[in-house]
Amino acid sequence: MLIKERYKAFVEYFSTHNPDAQTELNYGNPFELLIAVILSAQCTDKRINQVTPALFERYPNPESLAASSSDEVFTYIKSVSYPNNKAKHLVGMAQKLLSEFHGEIPEKVEDLVKLPGVGRKTANVISSVVFHNPAMAVDTHVFRVADRIGLTNKATTPLAAEKQLVKHLPKDTIAMAHHWLILHGRYICLARSPKCDICPISYFCRYFERNKKAKLVHKD
């Protein structure tokens, strides 16, 4: 199957079956989403959603978070991964928002990555979810699934995968495709034991094609 055909099949399936896909992180405004995404690095959305209600109540805006200490923030997020670093990042992020961006979440990726704790993936999430820009955030799920189903080819880094996905996806689907890939990787295309037997897109999946052929060869 040609690369164009894979992308066409991918977009057609998910735009039909999951047209309103969205992040599973709970948030009420862009500031809360930024906090949640920073916390979600190498941690589950489920865990983040457990700790953020109290965190958001204590720090409803950049001013309150910037005036706090990483030690205090730590008490709210100690159950997430790398809480010490993330507590420092959150306070630093809020302080930077106030000092350079007047307390407003910047729209451009190049500005977002200036904030402590915000890498390119987090910046792309904010750019796409908050500002509806055609930005592709590549996390472990996106990186794995895009490679398996054949949307990327020999992409050895998240940035390489991002560039390939942005190049081939229709511009108006890029932000949504991020959620399609994440959710598919979270519930079907698992890292260790992908559920190929129930996968609805196995008919155009390169990983499935290879495994099917391998099983046939082994059977012979």
Side-chain angles (χ1 to χ4, degrees), residues 135-150:
M136 171 57 67
V138 178
D139 68 355
T140 55
H141 292 303
V142 173
F143 189 76
R144 178 181 72 255
V145 176
D147 175 67
R148 281 182 177 172
I149 65 179

Side-chain angles (χ1 to χ4, degrees), residues 36-55:
V37 178
I38 290 174
L39 290 176
S40 71
Q42 296 181 284
C43 196
T44 65
D45 287 2
K46 181 179 179 180
R47 169 62 61 184
I48 302 308
N49 289 337
Q50 290 172 344
V51 305
T52 49
L55 185 69

Side-chain angles (χ1 to χ4, degrees), residues 27-203:
Y27 68 98
N29 55 58
F31 179 63
E32 289 184 355
L33 178 62
L34 180 55
I35 290 175
V37 178
I38 290 174
L39 290 176
S40 71
Q42 296 181 284
C43 196
T44 65
D45 287 2
K46 181 179 179 180
R47 169 62 61 184
I48 302 308
N49 289 337
Q50 290 172 344
V51 305
T52 49
L55 185 69
F56 293 161
E57 183 177 359
R58 172 64 182 86
Y59 306 111
N61 50 50
E63 289 80 6
S64 56
L65 183 54
S68 185
S69 67
S70 58
D71 287 340
E72 183 184 354
V73 173
F74 174 87
T75 64
Y76 289 89
I77 66 169
K78 57 186 177 183
S79 64
V80 309
S81 60
Y82 309 105
N84 284 301
N85 285 338
K86 289 179 179 178
K88 294 175 183 176
H89 286 157
L90 289 180
V91 174
M93 174 273 290
Q95 292 173 344
K96 193 89 166 181
L97 275 180
L98 293 175
S99 65
E100 292 198 20
F101 301 103
H102 308 290
E104 298 293 326
I105 307 298
E107 177 177 352
K108 296 181 180 179
V109 169
E110 53 265 38
D111 288 330
L112 285 162
V113 295
K114 295 177 182 178
L115 301 172
V118 177
R120 186 171 183 85
K121 185 212 78 174
T122 297
N124 278 330
V125 170
I126 301 303
S127 181
S128 64
V129 174
V130 175
F131 300 103
H132 309 292
N133 290 322
M136 171 57 67
V138 178
D139 68 355
T140 55
H141 292 303
V142 173
F143 189 76
R144 178 181 72 255
V145 176
D147 175 67
R148 281 182 177 172
I149 65 179
L151 298 185
T152 56
N153 183 37
K154 297 180 181 180
T156 57
T157 65
L159 180 58
E162 176 191 330
K163 288 181 177 179
Q164 289 186 33
L165 289 165
V166 169
K167 176 182 178 181
H168 293 289
L169 281 166
K171 189 174 182 179
D172 62 345
T173 69
I174 292 173
M176 186 65 71
H178 160 74
H179 298 302
W180 291 337
L181 290 165
I182 282 182
L183 294 173
H184 192 66
R186 187 170 290 164
Y187 297 109
I188 300 293
C189 196
L190 309 181
R192 294 185 179 179
S193 302
K195 301 177 181 179
C196 296
D197 55 325
I198 64 169
C199 178
I201 62 170
S202 60
Y203 65 94

